[in-house]
Amino acid sequence: MTVFLVDSYVIKPDKLSEFTAFLKKYTERLKKRPDLTKEVKSHKIFSLMLGGKGCEYVEMWEFENLAEFEKFFNRIMQDKEFTTTLNLESARLIVPASESIEIWSSVP
């Protein structure tokens, strides 16, 4: 059963240009690290166009099943670059308490 990690967050309005630069660096780093993301079937980032909260983004990570997600999650949480650089860098751009992380499953 396919599962999705859905991570939504709001970027501080005065940090949008910094976030755009960060997003480019973030996606490039993920592409250069296939060892880190080998269980990921797809990864997409969306920005809200109409309605909802302004400056809102959603990341969707697709996995074959929950076990594959767990392998990925355990590996990425032990990766120094991800935990000390990327997480900290993104945290200063996100509105505090706006982030929501959920696991969704596909419906047969």
Side-chain angles (χ1 to χ4, degrees), residues 2-8 26 40 42-46 58-66 69-70 72-73 76-77 82 99-106:
T2 301
V3 297
F4 292 88
L5 166 66
V6 180
D7 184 4
S8 60
Y26 172 66
V40 178
S42 68
H43 175 239
K44 305 262 188 227
I45 302 174
F46 303 92
V58 174
E59 277 187 69
M60 296 183 78
W61 301 75
E62 180 184 9
F63 301 90
E64 188 69 38
N65 53 47
L66 195 53
F69 161 74
E70 287 179 293
F72 163 78
F73 186 76
I76 206 165
M77 286 295 120
F82 186 83
E99 188 170 25
S100 170
I101 300 173
E102 302 168 324
I103 302 293
W104 290 68
S105 63
S106 59

Side-chain angles (χ1 to χ4, degrees), residues 10-92:
V10 176
I11 301 302
K12 295 174 183 175
D14 61 328
K15 301 288 185 183
L16 277 174
S17 61
E18 286 180 59
F19 179 71
T20 302
F22 167 77
L23 205 52
K24 183 177 181 187
K25 181 169 54 172
Y26 172 66
T27 54
E28 286 174 359
R29 283 181 176 173
L30 287 175
K31 287 177 185 173
K32 289 180 182 177
R33 297 283 313 273
D35 61 307
L36 194 61
T37 59
K38 62 184 170 185
E39 293 85 8
V40 178
K41 287 176 62 177
S42 68
H43 175 239
K44 305 262 188 227
I45 302 174
F46 303 92
S47 64
L48 185 67
M49 287 182 60
L50 188 61
K53 303 171 198 129
C55 306
E56 188 170 4
Y57 285 77
V58 174
E59 277 187 69
M60 296 183 78
W61 301 75
E62 180 184 9
F63 301 90
E64 188 69 38
N65 53 47
L66 195 53
E68 294 295 301
F69 161 74
E70 287 179 293
K71 288 179 200 173
F72 163 78
F73 186 76
N74 289 334
R75 185 179 317 102
I76 206 165
M77 286 295 120
Q78 293 176 16
D79 185 79
K80 291 204 182 287
E81 179 185 26
F82 186 83
T83 56
T84 60
T85 304
L86 295 175
N87 270 354
L88 293 176
E89 202 171 328
S90 66
R92 68 180 187 75

